[in-house]
Amino acid sequence: MKKSIIIQKIIAKAFKDLMQSNAYHQISVSDIMQTAKIRRQTFYNYFQNQEELLSWIFENDFTELINDNLDYYGWQNELLLLLRYLDENQIFYQKIFVIDKNFEHFFLIQWENLLDKVIFDQEKKSDYHWSDLEKSFICRYNAAAICAITKESIIRGNSLEKLYSQIVKLLLAQIKSFES
């Protein structure tokens, strides 16, 4: 049976909506499916359990936001879209950072993917050729810093979009220092 991405997204949205006002462990599959207005058994056609649903949400949301859009938007627009998405889903991610210790590693990898795009885009505009070591260093270094700052902002309930200009200035300054 082919899985419908639309049904998966409806289930994920229902779960996210419930997370706005409930603790993760208080939400049952029945609650999710009642909110989604889909029969309970349908959940198991798509997910084995809530942990698998949570993993699917991470993979799907970030793949759509970062990986699928990297070729269509410049990195600055991509960064802004990501920060806005995190702002819109802040309560959900506040809870996720607390309940899922693996999410932080996943979150870090997503920042590395975006920063790899930053270097790729900047390299096309410049005469400078980045070594693999330089690319790896600047991506990992900045991803760790941005991941920590955005996680802290999410947990504290601060707006992430306000970080946008600071992150862009920092990245452009670092890139320029390598290219000099």
Side-chain angles (χ1 to χ4, degrees), residues 154-170:
I154 289 169
I155 290 171
R156 290 184 178 191
N158 297 335
S159 170
L160 290 150
E161 191 173 344
K162 291 181 179 179
L163 296 173
Y164 172 76
S165 63
Q166 295 164 325
I167 293 171
V168 169
K169 285 178 190 175
L170 172 77

Side-chain angles (χ1 to χ4, degrees), residues 119-130:
I119 300 300
F120 180 77
D121 283 355
Q122 292 303 121
E123 193 171 35
K124 288 191 301 188
K125 298 176 186 175
S126 159
D127 293 333
Y128 186 75
H129 179 71
W130 291 72

Side-chain angles (χ1 to χ4, degrees), residues 75 115 118-119 122 128 130 134-146 149 166-180:
W75 68 267
L115 293 171
V118 171
I119 300 300
Q122 292 303 121
Y128 186 75
W130 291 72
E134 289 172 325
K135 286 179 191 177
S136 175
F137 175 79
I138 200 165
C139 287
R140 290 176 58 223
Y141 176 83
N142 284 294
I146 294 169
I149 289 167
Q166 295 164 325
I167 293 171
V168 169
K169 285 178 190 175
L170 172 77
L171 292 174
L172 290 174
Q174 286 182 348
I175 288 167
K176 190 172 188 166
S177 72
F178 272 85
E179 294 175 346
S180 300

